[in-house]
Amino acid sequence: FPKPLTYNGDLGPHNLTIIQPQLTLQPIAKLTLDLSVAGLWRTSIHDGVYSLGGQVLRRADETDSRFFGKRATAAGRYALNPFTTLGFYTIYGDVSEKFKPGRDLFYAAAYLTFRL
């Protein structure tokens, strides 16, 4: 069962460097909890900041700041049986003051996975 997608490098270069330590806990055999905090930096200050879809969020000439935010993630998965998993994830993103008027981000989702 894959973990929820929060960043996929297959989408191409995004001028993004992430440092993201993660703690995974398994309090019981069927339950897994993941907690992480990420720092987000521009790899180059001569390039902009892009969404995962490739849209320009900030042009390179709008700021010379390399650091642009933090992200905290909490996710959990519970195996109902060998073929069904119930899960959730929440993400909170905090935009650096140098990238305002960008907005902070919060979202949560639940999912059910069937494996055949």
Side-chain angles (χ1 to χ4, degrees):
F1 293 97
K3 293 182 179 182
L5 172 70
T6 58
Y7 172 74
N8 184 346
D10 294 339
L11 296 174
H14 284 87
N15 193 28
L16 179 63
T17 299
I18 301 173
I19 297 178
Q20 182 172 338
Q22 179 174 317
L23 174 65
T24 298
L25 305 170
Q26 192 167 15
I28 59 175
K30 293 184 173 192
L31 177 65
T32 303
L33 302 171
D34 296 318
L35 306 168
S36 67
V37 177
L40 308 169
W41 289 267
R42 291 194 295 175
T43 303
S44 168
I45 61 170
H46 305 292
D47 195 1
V49 175
Y50 303 90
S51 71
L52 288 178
Q55 296 82 13
V56 177
L57 298 175
R58 289 287 182 273
R59 294 184 323 271
D61 61 357
E62 290 186 60
T63 181
D64 61 356
S65 178
R66 190 173 295 271
F67 178 76
F68 66 87
K70 302 179 288 262
R71 180 179 65 203
T73 305
R77 292 173 306 286
Y78 184 79
L80 298 172
N81 59 49
F83 306 103
T84 310
T85 300
L86 179 63
F88 76 92
Y89 59 94
T90 58
I91 294 177
Y92 174 73
D94 180 30
V95 176
S96 168
E97 289 299 319
K98 301 240 179 182
F99 283 87
K100 297 293 184 183
R103 296 184 315 239
D104 294 345
L105 168 74
F106 176 78
Y107 67 90
Y111 61 93
L112 185 61
T113 302
F114 299 102
R115 188 167 125 182
L116 305 174

